[in-house]
Amino acid sequence: MKILHLPATHDAAHRRARPPRLLAAALLAAALSSAAQPPTTAAAPAAVQSTFDTLMDATLKNDATRFHAACHDEIRSAVTAEKLTGVNTAVQPVLGQGWRTQYLGSYRKTGMDVHLFKLDPAAGEDDVLVVLAMRGGKCAGFLLQ
């Protein structure tokens, strides 16, 4: 069996080339602590929040007239009273006991301002993502996922 001996200079250079383990651990801890920052608490613009509240209330109360009052014509024709009843039936068990809302932010798409909300149901169900598209102060799209 042949034993290979490396020169001492190689071993010392090899140790200097590696970052110290303590430094690596500190960098990892800093990265994890910055990733664990709480979400921002930005609020939705007042008109958007008002439309969101109206649409959510109308959906949970199955009030098509109130729902349609907040929407553009194309949404009024797409979301019939029967369709709203179907959505009401689906979301009532999840959101009927209430929820906490977190505004996630907005982005622009095809001439609309699209706003994202996260709902944390009091019933303990999975979170619900709400996408609200606004154009000219009215709802141009509303999706609960």
Side-chain angles (χ1 to χ4, degrees):
M1 176 172 177
K2 188 174 182 178
I3 298 177
L4 179 64
H5 291 278
L6 296 174
T9 56
H10 172 74
D11 189 36
H14 179 67
R15 273 185 266 154
R16 280 193 302 267
R18 289 185 298 157
R21 288 187 181 157
L22 184 58
L23 175 62
L27 290 173
L28 179 61
L32 290 175
S33 69
S34 68
Q37 295 297 320
T40 60
T41 56
V48 172
Q49 187 66 52
S50 176
T51 301
F52 170 81
D53 293 340
T54 297
L55 293 170
M56 289 300 299
D57 188 59
T59 300
L60 287 168
K61 291 180 178 173
N62 200 24
D63 185 346
T65 302
R66 188 161 182 230
F67 188 94
H68 289 155
C71 298
H72 279 281
D73 290 340
E74 59 268 15
I75 300 301
R76 288 183 199 135
S77 60
V79 181
T80 63
E82 293 79 21
K83 286 184 181 177
L84 188 61
T85 298
V87 174
N88 170 275
T89 302
V91 300
Q92 193 59 245
V94 177
L95 299 174
Q97 297 176 17
W99 64 87
R100 287 183 308 170
T101 303
Q102 180 183 356
Y103 180 68
L104 301 176
S106 66
Y107 63 95
R108 299 262 315 144
K109 181 161 177 104
T110 61
M112 294 183 284
D113 292 317
V114 181
H115 300 271
L116 304 173
F117 295 84
K118 181 182 94 165
L119 306 182
D120 180 13
E125 299 285 334
D126 289 343
D127 291 345
V128 176
L129 175 67
V130 179
V131 181
L132 170 59
M134 300 283 291
R135 186 176 65 237
K138 292 232 175 217
C139 171
F142 187 66
L143 174 69
L144 287 88
Q145 294 180 309

